[in-house]
Amino acid sequence: MELEKIFEELIKTNTNIVVCVKSKETKIEILKKLCSYLPEDVRVATIGKEIPLKTQIGEKRIDLKLEENEDVASAIKNSLYFCPNWMILEELKYIPEILSCGINCIITLSMDDVLHTFDYFEERFQDKTLEYLKESINVGIQVDTKEDMIDKIVRYSKETTPQLIYEKK
């Protein structure tokens, strides 16, 4: 399946996505690409220190660039007044709360291998929160920072190991 069709299908099916990448520039480009598939009639809140996506389309997009000492929890709380359908974040800490509100997420993580995302979660969360994340996060995208391209895409399942759905040739 062509990469463009995969992106389009992920967004159309309200898939919660983890983007694993080391480079800030690449992270922003991939997020912009994913955001371009979001329908214009959905509300999108983007929150982060390094996410100047500038995705505004009318009143449906809001970018909240955090300042040095600004609290992520407050920014998320403030963005909820906007009633977003999608939230784009670069911090994992508040993901369970956002997902429990029924908001779809695109999350960026600084890690090398998308196949170990659940291991990464296990280091940071426990018990019910960890299980909830395993049920809620559907797809991981690994970015090859040397070539600024998608390296692989995996589908997560709570019961099995991640399944490869795309790999760069």
Side-chain angles (χ1 to χ4, degrees):
M1 184 181 273
E2 192 178 301
L3 193 56
E4 304 292 323
K5 294 221 183 268
I6 292 173
F7 280 173
E8 188 176 341
E9 193 62 28
L10 292 175
I11 297 300
K12 188 168 38 171
T13 58
N14 295 323
T15 302
N16 293 311
I17 303 167
V18 171
V19 178
C20 299
V21 65
K22 288 285 186 182
S23 162
K24 284 188 252 182
E25 295 77 21
T26 304
K27 176 194 312 186
I28 291 168
E29 289 309 309
I30 295 301
L31 289 174
K32 282 183 179 180
K33 186 76 168 165
L34 284 168
C35 286
S36 73
Y37 292 96
L38 291 168
E40 289 187 24
D41 63 337
V42 301
R43 294 180 182 271
V44 180
T46 306
I47 300 173
K49 293 182 179 164
E50 300 170 359
I51 303 185
L53 290 182
K54 309 215 180 331
T55 59
Q56 292 95 342
I57 300 173
E59 297 175 3
K60 302 292 184 179
R61 303 289 196 265
I62 181 173
D63 285 340
L64 301 171
K65 188 170 190 301
L66 300 176
E67 299 305 322
E68 193 61 39
N69 295 325
E70 195 169 356
D71 181 27
V72 177
S74 297
I76 290 170
K77 183 178 177 184
N78 291 335
S79 74
L80 292 177
Y81 292 111
F82 180 68
C83 300
N85 306 95
W86 282 85
M87 194 166 289
I88 299 160
L89 296 165
E90 61 183 30
E91 186 163 327
L92 184 65
K93 186 176 179 183
Y94 300 99
I95 298 304
E97 290 86 348
I98 292 163
L99 291 171
S100 69
C101 292
I103 300 169
N104 297 303
C105 287
I106 299 173
I107 309 128
T108 62
L109 299 177
S110 295
M111 48 184 299
D112 292 325
D113 193 351
V114 71
L115 296 172
H116 298 291
T117 302
F118 285 170
D119 297 335
Y120 184 86
F121 289 166
E122 285 174 5
E123 293 172 8
R124 288 154 180 80
F125 298 101
Q126 297 170 7
D127 305 328
K128 291 182 181 180
T129 302
L130 178 61
E131 289 304 309
Y132 184 69
L133 284 171
K134 286 182 175 182
E135 290 172 6
S136 302
I137 303 295
N138 312 107
V139 168
I141 298 174
Q142 179 68 50
V143 180
D144 181 340
T145 54
K146 292 179 183 135
E147 298 181 26
D148 287 350
M149 297 195 48
I150 301 296
D151 192 25
K152 57 185 139 182
I153 300 177
V154 298
R155 182 167 302 281
Y156 298 118
S157 169
K158 188 174 135 180
E159 292 81 26
T160 63
T161 58
Q163 175 190 10
L164 197 63
I165 58 174
Y166 171 86
E167 187 165 26
K168 180 179 68 177
K169 297 189 185 331

